[in-house]
Amino acid sequence: MRARTLALLLLLPLVTACGGGGGTTASPQPRTTRTVVTTLPPLPVPTIVGTPVTFSTAGGNVSCDLEQAFVECQLRAHTWPAPKKPGDCHNAWGTRVQVASGSKGEFICWFGDSLLGAKRVLPTGQALTVGLVTCRAVSGGVQCTTDGNGFLLTDAKYRLF
């Protein structure tokens, strides 16, 4: 009898824990969670071209000469005021920028052939890389970089870095 009582005392906590003690146990209420995932489309991988290439943006407002270690781009029309023309520039100014490997983007004084009207079109969102330089067509223009330096050139704004 004593062994039977001892066995019951040892089993009682187990039976109660399993819900067999006759009492009611509260079931946990289900939790409702909501996960919102926002993803951006990946940037397209640049098309790598082994030789220099000239291209225009889809609207034809910007044309560029993309080389192994630099790029030069010319803008047809813009709404922003051009930086002040340097005193030593006796040619065209304010519509052409360049970035070379190891240098910051800059406006350049130029004369000679126009870059405008290149036959190859770089669609908005697409990119080309030649050597160390990558150019990506953006809305209204182009952004070109090399070694963390570059420029953004559009009809509405420009930025040199």
Side-chain angles (χ1 to χ4, degrees):
M1 175 84 160
R2 190 170 207 194
R4 193 171 177 196
T5 304
L6 186 58
L8 278 173
L9 288 175
L10 290 174
L11 292 175
L12 185 60
L14 292 175
V15 172
T16 304
C18 292
T24 58
T25 58
S27 299
Q29 293 297 316
R31 286 187 147 179
T32 304
T33 58
R34 186 174 175 180
T35 303
V36 177
V37 177
T38 303
T39 58
L40 297 174
L43 289 175
V45 175
T47 300
I48 298 174
V49 181
T51 58
V53 64
T54 58
F55 68 89
S56 290
T57 56
N61 195 40
V62 180
S63 292
C64 301
D65 176 18
L66 179 56
E67 303 279 339
Q68 296 284 331
F70 77 93
V71 63
E72 195 173 295
C73 294
Q74 184 176 346
L75 190 66
R76 182 181 310 274
H78 57 84
T79 58
W80 40 264
K84 185 175 170 147
K85 185 175 182 176
D88 62 347
C89 177
H90 303 293
N91 298 303
W93 175 259
T95 59
R96 220 166 192 172
V97 295
Q98 83 171 16
V99 65
S101 182
S103 300
K104 299 227 180 260
E106 62 183 346
F107 278 89
I108 58 172
C109 184
W110 65 279
F111 68 94
D113 292 340
S114 171
L115 296 175
L116 296 173
K119 303 227 181 302
R120 182 177 188 152
V121 174
L122 185 61
T124 301
Q126 297 298 307
L128 282 172
T129 297
V130 173
L132 303 172
V133 187
T134 298
C135 290
R136 181 175 310 282
V138 298
S139 180
V142 69
Q143 180 171 324
C144 297
T145 58
T146 180
D147 301 328
N149 298 314
F151 59 82
L152 170 68
L153 188 63
T154 73
D155 54 351
K157 64 183 172 184
Y158 74 89
R159 185 169 63 95
L160 306 174
F161 53 95

